[in-house]
Amino acid sequence: MAALLFGVVWSITAKECEPGGNLFSILLLLLCAVVGGKLVGLIKFPTLPPLPSLLGMLLSGFILRNVPYVSEVFVIQHKWSGSLRNIALAIILVRAGLGLDAKALQKLKLVCLRLACGPCTIEACSVAVISHFLMGLPWIWGFILGFVLGAVSPAVVVPSMLLLQKVGYGVEQGIPTLLMAAGSFDDILAITGFNIFLGMAFSTGSTLYSIFRGVIEVVGGMVAGVALGFFIRYFPSKDQESLVMKRAYLLLGLSVFAVFGSAAAGFSGSGGLCTLVLAFLAGIGWGSSKGAVEDIVGVAWDIFQPLLFGLIGAEISVTSLNPSTVGLGVATLSIALVIRIVFTFVMVLFAGFNFKEKLFVSLAWVPKATVQAAIGSVALDTAREKQNVLLEKYGMDVLTVAFLAILITAPMGALIIGLAGPRLLRKPNSDQLENEGMGLPKGEEPADNHKRQSFGDESTI
């Protein structure tokens, strides 16, 4: 069947399926990224969470691009790679919108709101200032880089926290639930900020006009998202057959159209916000039945995740990499991470945690991966469409630092959480563990030990 499918596609596309063609290279990348992810996932250390498989996917693309002879037959045109990354971005935004819990939004404690908004905003501003003076980026591009780096990665945090929660570490204080709930909102804030400054960076005119255009893109994206969200809540009707498949098809189709359509219309910052609002409102309208739609969207993500991280790795060429960009990028990232850790500690000062627990929350709020891969290349793709050499340089700088952030912080974050959790967090006593199912409670308020409701532990990007 696979050979027949390949034969049919080859007969239609001819050279695209041969070595050096786009389809051949995409298929090779997908295969290598899946294998690389599986191999990295097999690397396990006792008492530690496994390394994120996305590292193998990232390195697979990087190796294919930079190994001699292999790189000659591995060629993907920018238009193809940019389109695939935008589709993956649309899927991520759909998952983020569906994962938001309306009840959690109403019941979130102040500490969770501080944790979701404070560190991301501070890191974005810190990166903007540091990159402006160290890397020479304009202020707007500094904020673009800042919001790219400002998001925490649920792909790293959630699996690690679930392992600690299963054993019982921190569950009495509600730390696993707190981190997993705040992670989604942290990512939404970063994506929103990125879209605002992306629109400003590519607008022509005065600074005041750029700010006005950014506001217009935000408002326009939200209005379009509200309209489409209410439409998809009631269409197709509940009495139709294959309702879940139709809902998933419409949701993904409208989201991809929003991302590509907004870029074609010259309002690239609107598409992401439209998708987020659309998916969020659709999820509220579908209620408990949205879980089946999330499963289908998850299948789409399983296909595009290896492509996304592989394509990000494949954008980095050793021969064209500027050593100063790497050094200054690592310096910018390091300084910003220190500021983020300190500010996160400040954000949880009055949350009822002891010193060790505050330190753990600060360290666990470091890993970066999924959002950086999704939006790290968007500015570069947009600059290529504009055919502006200077903006392409800025976009490549943003992508390079995003690549370094994933490569450094994803494994480091997983190891920090795995090592620091048992040493810094408290476990319930044996009677509570037995009564609560061996460490599976949803968490308790740090101050008064009253149980609070789950914020949807697995509703993450």
mmCIF file of all heavy atoms in Angstrom, residues 63-73:
data_model
loop_
_atom_site.group_PDB
_atom_site.id
_atom_site.type_symbol
_atom_site.label_atom_id
_atom_site.label_comp_id
_atom_site.label_asym_id
_atom_site.label_seq_id
_atom_site.Cartn_x
_atom_site.Cartn_y
_atom_site.Cartn_z
ATOM 1 N N ILE A 63 20.962 17.569 12.126
ATOM 2 C CA ILE A 63 21.949 16.656 11.531
ATOM 3 C C ILE A 63 21.729 16.525 10.025
ATOM 4 O O ILE A 63 22.679 16.554 9.237
ATOM 5 C CB ILE A 63 21.878 15.282 12.224
ATOM 6 C CG1 ILE A 63 22.368 15.402 13.671
ATOM 7 C CG2 ILE A 63 22.705 14.248 11.472
ATOM 8 C CD1 ILE A 63 22.152 14.160 14.500
ATOM 9 N N LEU A 64 20.466 16.359 9.614
ATOM 10 C CA LEU A 64 20.183 16.242 8.180
ATOM 11 C C LEU A 64 20.652 17.474 7.408
ATOM 12 O O LEU A 64 21.114 17.361 6.270
ATOM 13 C CB LEU A 64 18.683 16.034 7.963
ATOM 14 C CG LEU A 64 18.108 14.671 8.322
ATOM 15 C CD1 LEU A 64 16.589 14.681 8.192
ATOM 16 C CD2 LEU A 64 18.708 13.580 7.439
ATOM 17 N N ARG A 65 20.527 18.628 8.030
ATOM 18 C CA ARG A 65 20.917 19.872 7.351
ATOM 19 C C ARG A 65 22.432 20.028 7.263
ATOM 20 O O ARG A 65 22.950 20.622 6.291
ATOM 21 C CB ARG A 65 20.309 21.066 8.100
ATOM 22 C CG ARG A 65 20.767 22.433 7.603
ATOM 23 C CD ARG A 65 20.236 22.742 6.210
ATOM 24 N NE ARG A 65 20.726 23.990 5.694
ATOM 25 C CZ ARG A 65 20.174 25.176 5.921
ATOM 26 N NH1 ARG A 65 19.078 25.254 6.674
ATOM 27 N NH2 ARG A 65 20.679 26.272 5.399
ATOM 28 N N ASN A 66 23.184 19.490 8.218
ATOM 29 C CA ASN A 66 24.597 19.825 8.334
ATOM 30 C C ASN A 66 25.558 18.681 8.040
ATOM 31 O O ASN A 66 26.772 18.903 8.022
ATOM 32 C CB ASN A 66 24.876 20.374 9.740
ATOM 33 C CG ASN A 66 24.193 21.705 9.994
ATOM 34 O OD1 ASN A 66 24.646 22.747 9.550
ATOM 35 N ND2 ASN A 66 23.073 21.664 10.704
ATOM 36 N N VAL A 67 25.067 17.465 7.827
ATOM 37 C CA VAL A 67 25.953 16.354 7.484
ATOM 38 C C VAL A 67 26.267 16.411 5.989
ATOM 39 O O VAL A 67 25.350 16.514 5.167
ATOM 40 C CB VAL A 67 25.297 14.999 7.838
ATOM 41 C CG1 VAL A 67 26.135 13.839 7.289
ATOM 42 C CG2 VAL A 67 25.143 14.872 9.334
ATOM 43 N N PRO A 68 27.538 16.359 5.613
ATOM 44 C CA PRO A 68 27.895 16.395 4.186
ATOM 45 C C PRO A 68 27.240 15.256 3.406
ATOM 46 O O PRO A 68 26.983 14.186 3.949
ATOM 47 C CB PRO A 68 29.431 16.241 4.212
ATOM 48 C CG PRO A 68 29.842 16.706 5.571
ATOM 49 C CD PRO A 68 28.728 16.328 6.490
ATOM 50 N N TYR A 69 26.989 15.481 2.153
ATOM 51 C CA TYR A 69 26.353 14.554 1.227
ATOM 52 C C TYR A 69 24.859 14.386 1.528
ATOM 53 O O TYR A 69 24.032 14.416 0.612
ATOM 54 C CB TYR A 69 27.047 13.192 1.221
ATOM 55 C CG TYR A 69 28.520 13.277 0.901
ATOM 56 C CD1 TYR A 69 29.484 13.010 1.873
ATOM 57 C CD2 TYR A 69 28.953 13.650 -0.368
ATOM 58 C CE1 TYR A 69 30.841 13.107 1.583
ATOM 59 C CE2 TYR A 69 30.312 13.742 -0.676
ATOM 60 C CZ TYR A 69 31.248 13.478 0.316
ATOM 61 O OH TYR A 69 32.579 13.585 0.027
ATOM 62 N N VAL A 70 24.521 14.171 2.795
ATOM 63 C CA VAL A 70 23.102 14.058 3.147
ATOM 64 C C VAL A 70 22.392 15.375 2.878
ATOM 65 O O VAL A 70 21.261 15.406 2.355
ATOM 66 C CB VAL A 70 22.924 13.643 4.622
ATOM 67 C CG1 VAL A 70 21.445 13.629 5.004
ATOM 68 C CG2 VAL A 70 23.547 12.277 4.875
ATOM 69 N N SER A 71 23.049 16.478 3.216
ATOM 70 C CA SER A 71 22.438 17.795 3.019
ATOM 71 C C SER A 71 22.207 18.103 1.545
ATOM 72 O O SER A 71 21.376 18.956 1.217
ATOM 73 C CB SER A 71 23.322 18.880 3.647
ATOM 74 O OG SER A 71 24.614 18.876 3.060
ATOM 75 N N GLU A 72 22.924 17.402 0.646
ATOM 76 C CA GLU A 72 22.738 17.652 -0.781
ATOM 77 C C GLU A 72 21.426 17.085 -1.314
ATOM 78 O O GLU A 72 20.862 17.601 -2.279
ATOM 79 C CB GLU A 72 23.918 17.054 -1.558
ATOM 80 C CG GLU A 72 25.258 17.726 -1.239
ATOM 81 C CD GLU A 72 26.408 17.080 -1.981
ATOM 82 O OE1 GLU A 72 26.142 16.155 -2.785
ATOM 83 O OE2 GLU A 72 27.570 17.491 -1.763
ATOM 84 N N VAL A 73 20.943 16.010 -0.695
ATOM 85 C CA VAL A 73 19.675 15.416 -1.123
ATOM 86 C C VAL A 73 18.523 15.841 -0.212
ATOM 87 O O VAL A 73 17.369 15.521 -0.467
ATOM 88 C CB VAL A 73 19.765 13.873 -1.161
ATOM 89 C CG1 VAL A 73 20.814 13.433 -2.151
ATOM 90 C CG2 VAL A 73 20.060 13.306 0.225
#
